[in-house]
Amino acid sequence: QVQLQQSGPGLLKPSQTLSLTCVISGFSVSRNSWDWIRQSPSRGLEWLGRTYYNSKWYNEYAESVKSRITVTADTSKNQFSLQLNSVTPEDTAVYYCTRSVQWGAFDIWGQGTVVTVSS
Amino acid sequence: EIVLTQSPDTLSLSPGERATLSCRASQIVRSNYLAWYQQKPGQAPRLLIYGASSRDTGIPDRFTGSGSGTDFTLTISRLESEDFAVYYCQQYGSSRTFGQGTKVEIK
């Protein structure tokens, strides 16, 4: 049974860096694609970015956060991470890590992390 | 960016009734890469349908996805109590974007 367990701080101040980690159990991080998605009342569900392995590691990011985001994988810990720089209150949302299958549908989701950006 | 518009915003129905949810894309969705999700309060979304019409593992056959190009539909043949939730469509033919959701509520 594949499971994703998220961890990371839930409260940040503006200009700080958001860092979340997603530990994978029951599946290898070197297979499939691993994505981050966030959800807020104002922006709805928003895909942020992904990492995947195909002879080497690749990344793909949403245009809306491309200048601020990094998604990385750690094969030794079988996990992947999100880093979002220079956060503002608009980055307040529930953040989810997910597994992507069938070219881009998200079949496994983490439990979600509520992230609040406030001074 | 492909914009997905779902209709209606809210659907008020009784258990046992048929629900028909629409998702319209601003451009053709390549290879019908369109998924549907169900989300209940406090939970992560759950994948129901991928590739416009394929049910994910364990999804009951009362959920049916159809459509192609720019127009897609999720049909729930007979609503059960656990089906009252918010439903989202998502395209993955060009980057990934989600619709704004349709809430299926008890009438």
Side-chain angles (χ1 to χ4, degrees):
Chain A
Q1 181 186 5
V2 182
Q3 291 185 316
L4 303 179
Q5 181 66 40
Q6 300 178 217
S7 62
L11 182 60
L12 294 169
K13 296 185 186 303
S15 81
Q16 290 185 327
T17 296
L18 184 162
S19 294
L20 298 175
T21 297
C22 186
V23 177
I24 305 163
S25 57
F27 204 82
S28 171
V29 72
S30 299
R31 297 172 58 192
N32 286 60
S33 168
W34 304 93
D35 299 50
W36 289 94
I37 292 167
R38 67 183 178 184
Q39 184 174 29
S40 65
S42 59
R43 302 171 75 98
L45 284 162
E46 181 183 18
W47 174 78
L48 299 176
R50 68 179 182 133
T51 190
Y52 62 97
Y53 184 79
N54 187 0
S55 300
K56 66 174 187 177
W57 287 99
Y58 292 87
N59 296 106
E60 185 182 344
Y61 301 129
E63 286 296 326
S64 61
V65 295
K66 197 170 188 176
S67 63
R68 301 191 290 132
I69 188 173
T70 305
V71 178
T72 56
D74 184 337
T75 56
S76 67
K77 297 180 180 178
N78 207 40
Q79 66 185 35
F80 64 110
S81 301
L82 167 70
Q83 183 170 299
L84 187 66
N85 301 324
S86 305
V87 296
T88 73
E90 285 207 347
D91 295 310
T92 294
V94 179
Y95 286 72
Y96 293 101
C97 60
T98 69
R99 183 179 76 171
S100 173
V101 295
Q102 300 293 336
W103 308 110
F106 307 110
D107 71 329
I108 306 292
W109 295 64
Q111 80 275 22
T113 299
V114 177
V115 174
T116 302
V117 181
S118 174
S119 55
Chain B
E1 174 181 293
I2 295 179
V3 176
L4 299 179
T5 302
Q6 293 185 239
S7 61
D9 288 334
T10 304
L11 203 48
S12 298
L13 295 168
S14 300
E17 289 193 298
R18 181 186 189 91
T20 302
L21 288 67
S22 173
C23 177
R24 178 163 289 180
S26 61
Q27 306 169 38
I28 290 175
V29 177
R30 180 176 65 93
S31 300
N32 293 329
Y33 284 154
L34 193 286
W36 289 93
Y37 300 84
Q38 176 193 70
Q39 188 177 32
K40 297 179 180 178
Q43 297 183 15
R46 172 194 180 197
L47 177 64
L48 302 174
I49 302 286
Y50 62 88
S53 60
S54 298
R55 283 184 213 92
D56 196 26
T57 305
I59 302 303
D61 59 7
R62 65 180 181 274
F63 292 92
T64 301
S66 62
S68 63
T70 60
D71 289 302
F72 299 88
T73 301
L74 175 69
T75 302
I76 311 171
S77 58
R78 288 176 56 86
L79 282 164
E80 300 197 3
S81 57
E82 62 264 32
D83 299 336
F84 292 93
V86 180
Y87 292 83
Y88 296 95
C89 58
Q90 175 237 338
Q91 67 80 25
Y92 46 102
S94 174
S95 190
R96 287 106 174 86
T97 54
F98 289 86
Q100 85 281 9
T102 290
K103 182 179 182 180
V104 178
E105 65 176 23
I106 300 176
K107 187 174 182 179

